[in-house]
Amino acid sequence: MTDRINVLPVPTWNHLGVNWAGKEFSLVDTQKKEFPEENLSLSPLPSGIERMKNFPGETVHIESGIGKVYDNYVIQHANVSCFLKVKESVHQTVRMKVSVSSASDTVIGSYGIYAEDGSRVTFMQEIASDEQVSGSTAELTRIYAKKGARVKLIQIQNLNRTSRSWNGVAIYAEDGARVEVVRAVLGGSCAALGSRASLDGKESSYQLDTIYFGDQTQIFDFNDIADHYGKSTRCDMYTAGVLAGKSSKVLRGTIDFKRGAVYAAGHETEEVLMLGKSVRNRTVPLILCGEEQVEGQHAATIGRLDETQIYYLCSRGLTPAEARMLLVEGRFSPVLDQIPDESLREELALQIERRLKENDPKSNAS
Amino acid sequence: MRAFDEEKTRVDEVDRSIYDIRDEVHPSFEVQSGLTESIVRKISDEKHDPAWMRVFRMKSLQLYNSIPVPNWGPSLDDLHLEDIVTYVRPDTTMRGKWSEVPEDIKNTFERLGIPEAERKSLAGVGAQYDSEVVYHNISAAAAAQGVIYTDMESALTGPYEDMVRKHFMKLVPPSDHKFAALHGAVWSGGSFVYVPPGVSVEIPLQSYFRLNAPGAGQFEHTLIIVDKGAYLHFIEGCSAPKYSVNNLHAGCVELYVGENARLRYSTIENWSKNMYNLNTKRARVEKGGTIEWVSGSFGSHISYLYPMSILKGEGSRMEFTGITFAGGGQNLDTGAKVVHGAPNTTSHISTKSISRDGGVSTFRSLVKVAPEASGSKSAVACESLMLDDRSRSDTIPVMDIQCDEADVGHEAKIGRISEQAVFYLMSRGLSEDDARAFIVGGFAEPIAKELPLEYAVEMNNLIHLEMKGSIG
């Protein structure tokens, strides 16, 4: 496949290389491989949720941030699938884990949540890999939230450093529906992520919370879009990340107020901590506006940790390393706190702490 | 937190009456429309170019023919260069006294207030009419300080040729983009300024560019060198009457700011709504130097305008303050670029835009921090006001940060007048109309306060704000 992915909704200067993802993210058209059942685990489904064979046809027009061509590729070549119909409010988290191993080094996963009127669900997806395998994962999650439905999607990507990954999320929200997406992106040699929320229904809302940690030579490429069509729609997109080693990242975040989206509000915030002389961060936060009665804001803070904050924390008895970890935890907690599994949450926090220490010369010195 | 109001805020369109008066067109020479080697040669002949400039123009033409039209900004599909006359010499030579300038041209500049401004508040004026400068003068006081302020043609063919050759299109090479290449091929007119080391020019210089001929292009080149420790405020104004055919402006501004020098470059652009304004401006700032841009974009049909600052020396600094007003039939793609190329450099970009009556305003920016620019800081704030639902306002910033020892902040807001703010002001005794006028005036105020008083008044005349509406 040669089509461009993660395309910026409105292009800018070509020489900046942000109008679409780089060639390292080109998808290779591979033969469909079988995926062993034992590498997919799904928690028992509570009553109120049933597994469907196919995702309902009315969702075909929704598109992920990676792009329609990618979506069709995943749908047609999927070797893992999981489509859930949520009929009522479910309070326990539905968990799915995909393991990449030498026996299953290629994952093409097509997932979906079809939430009926007024239903509620939390769906957690975890993808991890054996250390020795160079895997490839291409996933697409479609969410169709009907009137008043509440859907929370938690995605944990913890692949090894030789795997490549693509992860698209496509969302459609009817009147009063709310969709929350929580993402932790920690692994992969290169990872492309693209979410797109169509807020079509009146008073529908979308919240996206992302954390990432890049080190060594990791490359992350994000394309997150919130399309406001309906009246009084709302989106909040928060991204916090650390770049260390020779890692790099592009974040495209777009709030698009379509004409007619009166009283819509969209907020986007990004915090990037740069650690290391060879990191590169590119941030492209767009606000597109064709409607006057809206409120849009974005804010980005990129650079170092605030030395005065570190100094203050040290004066309260913390070591510099503890102070830095505390400040990073503060940025990551909006995501980590939403992971329902305590042991997984602690495991991720420990991993972040370890990588922070590995990549912070000041911390090593202290 | 959210505050929406139902009443419409009326902001009048820019009053263009004084700009739209046309003079009869009677050039002493003009080339045919279009762009060919023969036309470029004719321009060289007409301007008595030195040999290196003749070669430069032809190379630029080749580049123009090989570089594609930008595919990322407003559509340029209706701009047909074969219909554009790239060189129109007015029927006069350059004068040093207004009394010697032909009556119709002089009257045009009188209406625009240029001679009066010169008398009151300027250290020198250059006035360009179509492709050539018709008036140029510098005050005796500034000249006595060693300040050089002349038209580009005199500089190129006179004692400053070497200085021109060393700097001309070195900051903006013709290979930069298609319209830089076009400029390199057909440029004419513009100003050359040199401020010697340590000299502070206390009152501003101004160049004014007037395009009168229908279907013509204006390609003036402005080259300013502010040497070590010197200071200059340079003001650029431009306008044209409206015609039913397209006009094109593809000027080029190159600013060299020396060590510990400071240059303030202010522009009020008020081209007519048949104008394609594809202008390129760039500054290079040495150690401890400062470039300050003040930019008001009100006219033109389509604009691509992103003044760029290259902070090359340690501790150099840039400030950009800009306002864009896009009304019906306008698509104004404006913004700023800055490259932090040395340690401890600082940039601050603050922009405002207003869209009304179907106008499209796009803020586009780049903040790049190179790996060697440790200790650098950048802050960007852009704010847009939408005044109806037929208009558009887009914000397209890019931050490319390649240095871990940098602090970069970015804020953008889009929306309409806050009802809470109106309510607060009314609670302090203002009428609703006054409150709204106060808020919109405050929105435009950051640029007004950066301009000399006379120009702030001109800008306020340009945006004649009239507020209507009542709570209900």
Side-chain angles (χ1 to χ4, degrees), chain A residues 11 14 263 280-283 285 287 289 292 296 298 300 302-304, chain B residues 6 8 71 364 393 395 399-401 406-408 410 412 414 416:
Chain A
N14 293 305
Y263 309 137
R280 184 178 192 187
N281 173 73
R282 280 174 286 179
T283 295
I287 299 180
C289 187
E292 65 168 322
H298 62 67
I302 304 160
R304 305 169 279 195
Chain B
E6 298 292 342
K8 302 292 176 191
N71 60 357
R364 197 182 294 270
S393 186
T395 305
M399 285 152 275
D400 184 355
I401 314 304
D407 294 308
V408 177
H410 178 98
I414 192 159
R416 55 168 300 131

PDB file of all heavy atoms in Angstrom, chain A residues 11 14 263 280-283 285 287 289 292 296 298 300 302-304, chain B residues 6 8 71 364 393 395 399-401 406-408 410 412 414 416:
ATOM      1  N   PRO A  11      -3.443  21.092   4.643  1.00  0.00           N
ATOM      2  CA  PRO A  11      -1.981  20.993   4.544  1.00  0.00           C
ATOM      3  C   PRO A  11      -1.281  22.301   4.859  1.00  0.00           C
ATOM      4  O   PRO A  11      -1.873  23.379   4.767  1.00  0.00           O
ATOM      5  CB  PRO A  11      -1.763  20.615   3.073  1.00  0.00           C
ATOM      6  CG  PRO A  11      -2.952  21.152   2.355  1.00  0.00           C
ATOM      7  CD  PRO A  11      -4.091  21.076   3.330  1.00  0.00           C
ATOM      8  N   ASN A  14       5.119  22.008   2.822  1.00  0.00           N
ATOM      9  CA  ASN A  14       5.518  20.614   2.586  1.00  0.00           C
ATOM     10  C   ASN A  14       6.866  20.270   3.225  1.00  0.00           C
ATOM     11  O   ASN A  14       7.061  19.154   3.713  1.00  0.00           O
ATOM     12  CB  ASN A  14       5.590  20.348   1.078  1.00  0.00           C
ATOM     13  CG  ASN A  14       4.208  20.413   0.440  1.00  0.00           C
ATOM     14  OD1 ASN A  14       3.293  19.725   0.860  1.00  0.00           O
ATOM     15  ND2 ASN A  14       4.042  21.259  -0.568  1.00  0.00           N
ATOM     16  N   TYR A 263     -22.573  26.771  19.454  1.00  0.00           N
ATOM     17  CA  TYR A 263     -22.282  26.548  20.872  1.00  0.00           C
ATOM     18  C   TYR A 263     -21.328  25.374  21.119  1.00  0.00           C
ATOM     19  O   TYR A 263     -21.258  24.850  22.222  1.00  0.00           O
ATOM     20  CB  TYR A 263     -23.565  26.348  21.695  1.00  0.00           C
ATOM     21  CG  TYR A 263     -24.598  27.420  21.474  1.00  0.00           C
ATOM     22  CD1 TYR A 263     -25.942  27.109  21.320  1.00  0.00           C
ATOM     23  CD2 TYR A 263     -24.214  28.748  21.401  1.00  0.00           C
ATOM     24  CE1 TYR A 263     -26.893  28.095  21.098  1.00  0.00           C
ATOM     25  CE2 TYR A 263     -25.151  29.740  21.169  1.00  0.00           C
ATOM     26  CZ  TYR A 263     -26.474  29.412  21.026  1.00  0.00           C
ATOM     27  OH  TYR A 263     -27.393  30.395  20.806  1.00  0.00           O
ATOM     28  N   ARG A 280      13.409  14.947  18.665  1.00  0.00           N
ATOM     29  CA  ARG A 280      12.729  15.918  17.798  1.00  0.00           C
ATOM     30  C   ARG A 280      11.227  15.835  18.045  1.00  0.00           C
ATOM     31  O   ARG A 280      10.644  14.757  17.990  1.00  0.00           O
ATOM     32  CB  ARG A 280      13.018  15.616  16.329  1.00  0.00           C
ATOM     33  CG  ARG A 280      12.406  16.669  15.408  1.00  0.00           C
ATOM     34  CD  ARG A 280      12.742  16.395  13.957  1.00  0.00           C
ATOM     35  NE  ARG A 280      12.389  17.539  13.131  1.00  0.00           N
ATOM     36  CZ  ARG A 280      12.437  17.550  11.803  1.00  0.00           C
ATOM     37  NH1 ARG A 280      12.842  16.488  11.148  1.00  0.00           N
ATOM     38  NH2 ARG A 280      12.092  18.627  11.119  1.00  0.00           N
ATOM     39  N   ASN A 281      10.651  16.977  18.313  1.00  0.00           N
ATOM     40  CA  ASN A 281       9.210  17.029  18.528  1.00  0.00           C
ATOM     41  C   ASN A 281       8.568  17.982  17.519  1.00  0.00           C
ATOM     42  O   ASN A 281       8.991  19.118  17.368  1.00  0.00           O
ATOM     43  CB  ASN A 281       8.900  17.549  19.934  1.00  0.00           C
ATOM     44  CG  ASN A 281       7.410  17.770  20.109  1.00  0.00           C
ATOM     45  OD1 ASN A 281       6.653  16.826  20.211  1.00  0.00           O
ATOM     46  ND2 ASN A 281       6.992  19.032  20.093  1.00  0.00           N
ATOM     47  N   ARG A 282       7.556  17.482  16.847  1.00  0.00           N
ATOM     48  CA  ARG A 282       6.772  18.363  15.973  1.00  0.00           C
ATOM     49  C   ARG A 282       5.318  18.326  16.412  1.00  0.00           C
ATOM     50  O   ARG A 282       4.743  17.246  16.575  1.00  0.00           O
ATOM     51  CB  ARG A 282       6.908  17.929  14.509  1.00  0.00           C
ATOM     52  CG  ARG A 282       8.209  18.418  13.893  1.00  0.00           C
ATOM     53  CD  ARG A 282       8.430  17.886  12.514  1.00  0.00           C
ATOM     54  NE  ARG A 282       8.814  16.490  12.528  1.00  0.00           N
ATOM     55  CZ  ARG A 282       9.056  15.773  11.455  1.00  0.00           C
ATOM     56  NH1 ARG A 282       8.915  16.309  10.264  1.00  0.00           N
ATOM     57  NH2 ARG A 282       9.420  14.509  11.553  1.00  0.00           N
ATOM     58  N   THR A 283       4.778  19.498  16.628  1.00  0.00           N
ATOM     59  CA  THR A 283       3.407  19.630  17.105  1.00  0.00           C
ATOM     60  C   THR A 283       2.633  20.495  16.122  1.00  0.00           C
ATOM     61  O   THR A 283       3.099  21.569  15.742  1.00  0.00           O
ATOM     62  CB  THR A 283       3.402  20.295  18.496  1.00  0.00           C
ATOM     63  OG1 THR A 283       4.048  19.428  19.422  1.00  0.00           O
ATOM     64  CG2 THR A 283       1.996  20.560  18.979  1.00  0.00           C
ATOM     65  N   PRO A 285      -1.094  21.752  16.075  1.00  0.00           N
ATOM     66  CA  PRO A 285      -2.447  21.791  16.633  1.00  0.00           C
ATOM     67  C   PRO A 285      -3.357  22.729  15.819  1.00  0.00           C
ATOM     68  O   PRO A 285      -3.219  23.942  15.882  1.00  0.00           O
ATOM     69  CB  PRO A 285      -2.204  22.358  18.039  1.00  0.00           C
ATOM     70  CG  PRO A 285      -0.957  23.186  17.908  1.00  0.00           C
ATOM     71  CD  PRO A 285      -0.211  22.755  16.689  1.00  0.00           C
ATOM     72  N   ILE A 287      -6.946  24.485  14.604  1.00  0.00           N
ATOM     73  CA  ILE A 287      -8.353  24.788  14.876  1.00  0.00           C
ATOM     74  C   ILE A 287      -8.939  25.294  13.568  1.00  0.00           C
ATOM     75  O   ILE A 287      -8.456  26.280  13.008  1.00  0.00           O
ATOM     76  CB  ILE A 287      -8.542  25.860  15.969  1.00  0.00           C
ATOM     77  CG1 ILE A 287      -7.954  25.391  17.298  1.00  0.00           C
ATOM     78  CG2 ILE A 287     -10.024  26.163  16.154  1.00  0.00           C
ATOM     79  CD1 ILE A 287      -8.112  26.405  18.428  1.00  0.00           C
ATOM     80  N   CYS A 289     -12.409  26.584  11.679  1.00  0.00           N
ATOM     81  CA  CYS A 289     -13.658  27.139  12.177  1.00  0.00           C
ATOM     82  C   CYS A 289     -14.512  27.719  11.064  1.00  0.00           C
ATOM     83  O   CYS A 289     -14.104  28.665  10.393  1.00  0.00           O
ATOM     84  CB  CYS A 289     -13.320  28.211  13.214  1.00  0.00           C
ATOM     85  SG  CYS A 289     -14.767  28.837  14.034  1.00  0.00           S
ATOM     86  N   GLU A 292     -19.498  30.737  13.797  1.00  0.00           N
ATOM     87  CA  GLU A 292     -19.098  31.811  14.705  1.00  0.00           C
ATOM     88  C   GLU A 292     -19.356  31.509  16.181  1.00  0.00           C
ATOM     89  O   GLU A 292     -18.611  31.923  17.050  1.00  0.00           O
ATOM     90  CB  GLU A 292     -19.814  33.107  14.325  1.00  0.00           C
ATOM     91  CG  GLU A 292     -21.307  33.025  14.499  1.00  0.00           C
ATOM     92  CD  GLU A 292     -21.988  34.382  14.414  1.00  0.00           C
ATOM     93  OE1 GLU A 292     -21.432  35.361  14.905  1.00  0.00           O
ATOM     94  OE2 GLU A 292     -23.080  34.420  13.868  1.00  0.00           O
ATOM     95  N   GLY A 296     -12.983  27.731  20.736  1.00  0.00           N
ATOM     96  CA  GLY A 296     -11.899  26.769  20.523  1.00  0.00           C
ATOM     97  C   GLY A 296     -10.618  27.271  21.150  1.00  0.00           C
ATOM     98  O   GLY A 296     -10.317  28.458  21.096  1.00  0.00           O
ATOM     99  N   HIS A 298      -6.378  25.979  21.961  1.00  0.00           N
ATOM    100  CA  HIS A 298      -5.343  24.967  22.156  1.00  0.00           C
ATOM    101  C   HIS A 298      -4.131  25.583  22.815  1.00  0.00           C
ATOM    102  O   HIS A 298      -3.859  26.773  22.669  1.00  0.00           O
ATOM    103  CB  HIS A 298      -5.010  24.179  20.902  1.00  0.00           C
ATOM    104  CG  HIS A 298      -4.464  24.973  19.767  1.00  0.00           C
ATOM    105  ND1 HIS A 298      -3.246  25.585  19.802  1.00  0.00           N
ATOM    106  CD2 HIS A 298      -4.980  25.210  18.542  1.00  0.00           C
ATOM    107  CE1 HIS A 298      -3.033  26.165  18.643  1.00  0.00           C
ATOM    108  NE2 HIS A 298      -4.065  25.974  17.860  1.00  0.00           N
ATOM    109  N   ALA A 300       0.015  24.508  24.047  1.00  0.00           N
ATOM    110  CA  ALA A 300       1.092  23.521  24.034  1.00  0.00           C
ATOM    111  C   ALA A 300       2.264  24.056  24.846  1.00  0.00           C
ATOM    112  O   ALA A 300       2.582  25.245  24.788  1.00  0.00           O
ATOM    113  CB  ALA A 300       1.539  23.229  22.607  1.00  0.00           C
ATOM    114  N   ILE A 302       6.216  22.899  25.472  1.00  0.00           N
ATOM    115  CA  ILE A 302       7.228  21.955  25.003  1.00  0.00           C
ATOM    116  C   ILE A 302       8.570  22.366  25.580  1.00  0.00           C
ATOM    117  O   ILE A 302       8.943  23.540  25.518  1.00  0.00           O
ATOM    118  CB  ILE A 302       7.311  21.969  23.457  1.00  0.00           C
ATOM    119  CG1 ILE A 302       5.943  21.676  22.855  1.00  0.00           C
ATOM    120  CG2 ILE A 302       8.344  20.956  22.953  1.00  0.00           C
ATOM    121  CD1 ILE A 302       5.793  22.133  21.428  1.00  0.00           C
ATOM    122  N   GLY A 303       9.282  21.408  26.124  1.00  0.00           N
ATOM    123  CA  GLY A 303      10.626  21.747  26.594  1.00  0.00           C
ATOM    124  C   GLY A 303      11.013  20.996  27.841  1.00  0.00           C
ATOM    125  O   GLY A 303      10.730  19.803  27.983  1.00  0.00           O
ATOM    126  N   ARG A 304      11.628  21.742  28.732  1.00  0.00           N
ATOM    127  CA  ARG A 304      12.191  21.135  29.930  1.00  0.00           C
ATOM    128  C   ARG A 304      11.194  21.141  31.075  1.00  0.00           C
ATOM    129  O   ARG A 304      10.190  21.835  31.018  1.00  0.00           O
ATOM    130  CB  ARG A 304      13.410  21.943  30.383  1.00  0.00           C
ATOM    131  CG  ARG A 304      14.447  22.112  29.345  1.00  0.00           C
ATOM    132  CD  ARG A 304      15.476  23.135  29.770  1.00  0.00           C
ATOM    133  NE  ARG A 304      15.004  24.492  29.541  1.00  0.00           N
ATOM    134  CZ  ARG A 304      15.796  25.568  29.551  1.00  0.00           C
ATOM    135  NH1 ARG A 304      17.076  25.425  29.808  1.00  0.00           N
ATOM    136  NH2 ARG A 304      15.326  26.763  29.323  1.00  0.00           N
TER     137      ARG A 304
ATOM    138  N   GLU B   6     -26.448  35.953  21.522  1.00  0.00           N
ATOM    139  CA  GLU B   6     -27.281  35.770  20.349  1.00  0.00           C
ATOM    140  C   GLU B   6     -27.167  36.939  19.376  1.00  0.00           C
ATOM    141  O   GLU B   6     -27.379  36.793  18.193  1.00  0.00           O
ATOM    142  CB  GLU B   6     -28.739  35.618  20.770  1.00  0.00           C
ATOM    143  CG  GLU B   6     -28.999  34.400  21.656  1.00  0.00           C
ATOM    144  CD  GLU B   6     -28.827  33.100  20.911  1.00  0.00           C
ATOM    145  OE1 GLU B   6     -28.844  33.112  19.667  1.00  0.00           O
ATOM    146  OE2 GLU B   6     -28.649  32.067  21.566  1.00  0.00           O
ATOM    147  N   LYS B   8     -25.855  39.866  16.973  1.00  0.00           N
ATOM    148  CA  LYS B   8     -24.731  39.982  16.046  1.00  0.00           C
ATOM    149  C   LYS B   8     -23.928  41.226  16.376  1.00  0.00           C
ATOM    150  O   LYS B   8     -24.470  42.261  16.750  1.00  0.00           O
ATOM    151  CB  LYS B   8     -25.240  40.092  14.611  1.00  0.00           C
ATOM    152  CG  LYS B   8     -26.102  38.927  14.199  1.00  0.00           C
ATOM    153  CD  LYS B   8     -25.273  37.666  14.114  1.00  0.00           C
ATOM    154  CE  LYS B   8     -26.151  36.478  13.786  1.00  0.00           C
ATOM    155  NZ  LYS B   8     -25.461  35.213  13.943  1.00  0.00           N
ATOM    156  N   ASN B  71       0.797  23.966  -3.182  1.00  0.00           N
ATOM    157  CA  ASN B  71      -0.403  23.127  -3.129  1.00  0.00           C
ATOM    158  C   ASN B  71      -1.023  23.113  -1.741  1.00  0.00           C
ATOM    159  O   ASN B  71      -1.841  22.266  -1.421  1.00  0.00           O
ATOM    160  CB  ASN B  71      -0.067  21.692  -3.566  1.00  0.00           C
ATOM    161  CG  ASN B  71       0.982  21.057  -2.676  1.00  0.00           C
ATOM    162  OD1 ASN B  71       1.500  21.693  -1.764  1.00  0.00           O
ATOM    163  ND2 ASN B  71       1.299  19.802  -2.928  1.00  0.00           N
ATOM    164  N   ARG B 364      -1.074  30.973   9.995  1.00  0.00           N
ATOM    165  CA  ARG B 364      -0.167  29.859   9.730  1.00  0.00           C
ATOM    166  C   ARG B 364       1.202  30.246  10.301  1.00  0.00           C
ATOM    167  O   ARG B 364       1.684  31.356  10.054  1.00  0.00           O
ATOM    168  CB  ARG B 364      -0.067  29.665   8.212  1.00  0.00           C
ATOM    169  CG  ARG B 364       0.497  28.337   7.768  1.00  0.00           C
ATOM    170  CD  ARG B 364       0.596  28.307   6.244  1.00  0.00           C
ATOM    171  NE  ARG B 364      -0.666  28.342   5.565  1.00  0.00           N
ATOM    172  CZ  ARG B 364      -1.388  27.265   5.215  1.00  0.00           C
ATOM    173  NH1 ARG B 364      -0.934  26.066   5.485  1.00  0.00           N
ATOM    174  NH2 ARG B 364      -2.538  27.393   4.576  1.00  0.00           N
ATOM    175  N   SER B 393     -12.278  30.885   9.840  1.00  0.00           N
ATOM    176  CA  SER B 393     -11.039  31.269  10.497  1.00  0.00           C
ATOM    177  C   SER B 393     -10.308  29.997  10.898  1.00  0.00           C
ATOM    178  O   SER B 393     -10.832  29.206  11.677  1.00  0.00           O
ATOM    179  CB  SER B 393     -11.346  32.118  11.728  1.00  0.00           C
ATOM    180  OG  SER B 393     -10.147  32.584  12.265  1.00  0.00           O
ATOM    181  N   THR B 395      -6.574  28.059  12.078  1.00  0.00           N
ATOM    182  CA  THR B 395      -5.286  28.253  12.743  1.00  0.00           C
ATOM    183  C   THR B 395      -4.416  27.040  12.465  1.00  0.00           C
ATOM    184  O   THR B 395      -4.799  25.919  12.799  1.00  0.00           O
ATOM    185  CB  THR B 395      -5.500  28.388  14.266  1.00  0.00           C
ATOM    186  OG1 THR B 395      -6.438  29.441  14.490  1.00  0.00           O
ATOM    187  CG2 THR B 395      -4.225  28.717  14.978  1.00  0.00           C
ATOM    188  N   MET B 399       5.122  23.551  15.321  1.00  0.00           N
ATOM    189  CA  MET B 399       6.307  23.727  16.157  1.00  0.00           C
ATOM    190  C   MET B 399       7.243  22.555  15.912  1.00  0.00           C
ATOM    191  O   MET B 399       6.808  21.398  16.020  1.00  0.00           O
ATOM    192  CB  MET B 399       5.910  23.767  17.634  1.00  0.00           C
ATOM    193  CG  MET B 399       5.271  25.068  18.049  1.00  0.00           C
ATOM    194  SD  MET B 399       4.139  24.848  19.422  1.00  0.00           S
ATOM    195  CE  MET B 399       2.661  24.385  18.558  1.00  0.00           C
ATOM    196  N   ASP B 400       8.450  22.869  15.544  1.00  0.00           N
ATOM    197  CA  ASP B 400       9.437  21.819  15.260  1.00  0.00           C
ATOM    198  C   ASP B 400      10.607  22.053  16.214  1.00  0.00           C
ATOM    199  O   ASP B 400      11.437  22.933  15.997  1.00  0.00           O
ATOM    200  CB  ASP B 400       9.878  21.929  13.791  1.00  0.00           C
ATOM    201  CG  ASP B 400      10.836  20.808  13.397  1.00  0.00           C
ATOM    202  OD1 ASP B 400      11.222  20.009  14.270  1.00  0.00           O
ATOM    203  OD2 ASP B 400      11.197  20.738  12.202  1.00  0.00           O
ATOM    204  N   ILE B 401      10.637  21.261  17.268  1.00  0.00           N
ATOM    205  CA  ILE B 401      11.591  21.510  18.350  1.00  0.00           C
ATOM    206  C   ILE B 401      12.625  20.384  18.364  1.00  0.00           C
ATOM    207  O   ILE B 401      12.278  19.216  18.566  1.00  0.00           O
ATOM    208  CB  ILE B 401      10.871  21.595  19.719  1.00  0.00           C
ATOM    209  CG1 ILE B 401       9.614  22.477  19.617  1.00  0.00           C
ATOM    210  CG2 ILE B 401      11.833  22.090  20.798  1.00  0.00           C
ATOM    211  CD1 ILE B 401       9.847  23.872  19.116  1.00  0.00           C
ATOM    212  N   ALA B 406      15.062  23.933  25.670  1.00  0.00           N
ATOM    213  CA  ALA B 406      14.285  25.058  25.138  1.00  0.00           C
ATOM    214  C   ALA B 406      12.923  25.088  25.829  1.00  0.00           C
ATOM    215  O   ALA B 406      12.459  24.073  26.351  1.00  0.00           O
ATOM    216  CB  ALA B 406      14.099  24.911  23.642  1.00  0.00           C
ATOM    217  N   ASP B 407      12.314  26.243  25.825  1.00  0.00           N
ATOM    218  CA  ASP B 407      10.959  26.378  26.374  1.00  0.00           C
ATOM    219  C   ASP B 407      10.072  26.992  25.310  1.00  0.00           C
ATOM    220  O   ASP B 407      10.313  28.118  24.866  1.00  0.00           O
ATOM    221  CB  ASP B 407      10.970  27.293  27.607  1.00  0.00           C
ATOM    222  CG  ASP B 407      11.751  26.678  28.752  1.00  0.00           C
ATOM    223  OD1 ASP B 407      11.459  25.523  29.093  1.00  0.00           O
ATOM    224  OD2 ASP B 407      12.666  27.337  29.267  1.00  0.00           O
ATOM    225  N   VAL B 408       9.067  26.249  24.915  1.00  0.00           N
ATOM    226  CA  VAL B 408       8.181  26.711  23.847  1.00  0.00           C
ATOM    227  C   VAL B 408       6.743  26.649  24.340  1.00  0.00           C
ATOM    228  O   VAL B 408       6.297  25.616  24.843  1.00  0.00           O
ATOM    229  CB  VAL B 408       8.341  25.830  22.586  1.00  0.00           C
ATOM    230  CG1 VAL B 408       7.376  26.269  21.500  1.00  0.00           C
ATOM    231  CG2 VAL B 408       9.772  25.901  22.072  1.00  0.00           C
ATOM    232  N   HIS B 410       2.618  27.742  23.380  1.00  0.00           N
ATOM    233  CA  HIS B 410       1.724  28.119  22.283  1.00  0.00           C
ATOM    234  C   HIS B 410       0.297  28.181  22.815  1.00  0.00           C
ATOM    235  O   HIS B 410      -0.145  27.289  23.514  1.00  0.00           O
ATOM    236  CB  HIS B 410       1.817  27.076  21.167  1.00  0.00           C
ATOM    237  CG  HIS B 410       0.890  27.371  20.018  1.00  0.00           C
ATOM    238  ND1 HIS B 410       1.327  28.000  18.883  1.00  0.00           N
ATOM    239  CD2 HIS B 410      -0.425  27.150  19.854  1.00  0.00           C
ATOM    240  CE1 HIS B 410       0.300  28.152  18.064  1.00  0.00           C
ATOM    241  NE2 HIS B 410      -0.772  27.642  18.640  1.00  0.00           N
ATOM    242  N   ALA B 412      -3.738  29.347  21.437  1.00  0.00           N
ATOM    243  CA  ALA B 412      -4.617  29.875  20.381  1.00  0.00           C
ATOM    244  C   ALA B 412      -6.041  29.848  20.883  1.00  0.00           C
ATOM    245  O   ALA B 412      -6.455  28.956  21.623  1.00  0.00           O
ATOM    246  CB  ALA B 412      -4.492  29.035  19.121  1.00  0.00           C
ATOM    247  N   ILE B 414     -10.191  30.815  19.568  1.00  0.00           N
ATOM    248  CA  ILE B 414     -11.096  31.274  18.532  1.00  0.00           C
ATOM    249  C   ILE B 414     -12.479  31.406  19.150  1.00  0.00           C
ATOM    250  O   ILE B 414     -12.850  30.635  20.020  1.00  0.00           O
ATOM    251  CB  ILE B 414     -11.091  30.312  17.332  1.00  0.00           C
ATOM    252  CG1 ILE B 414     -11.807  30.941  16.160  1.00  0.00           C
ATOM    253  CG2 ILE B 414     -11.674  28.953  17.651  1.00  0.00           C
ATOM    254  CD1 ILE B 414     -11.446  30.346  14.842  1.00  0.00           C
ATOM    255  N   ARG B 416     -16.094  34.274  19.688  1.00  0.00           N
ATOM    256  CA  ARG B 416     -16.728  35.557  19.450  1.00  0.00           C
ATOM    257  C   ARG B 416     -16.680  36.362  20.747  1.00  0.00           C
ATOM    258  O   ARG B 416     -16.124  35.909  21.736  1.00  0.00           O
ATOM    259  CB  ARG B 416     -18.147  35.364  18.952  1.00  0.00           C
ATOM    260  CG  ARG B 416     -19.019  34.508  19.862  1.00  0.00           C
ATOM    261  CD  ARG B 416     -20.456  34.613  19.455  1.00  0.00           C
ATOM    262  NE  ARG B 416     -20.878  35.985  19.543  1.00  0.00           N
ATOM    263  CZ  ARG B 416     -21.535  36.623  18.558  1.00  0.00           C
ATOM    264  NH1 ARG B 416     -21.842  35.994  17.460  1.00  0.00           N
ATOM    265  NH2 ARG B 416     -21.898  37.873  18.689  1.00  0.00           N
TER     266      ARG B 416
END
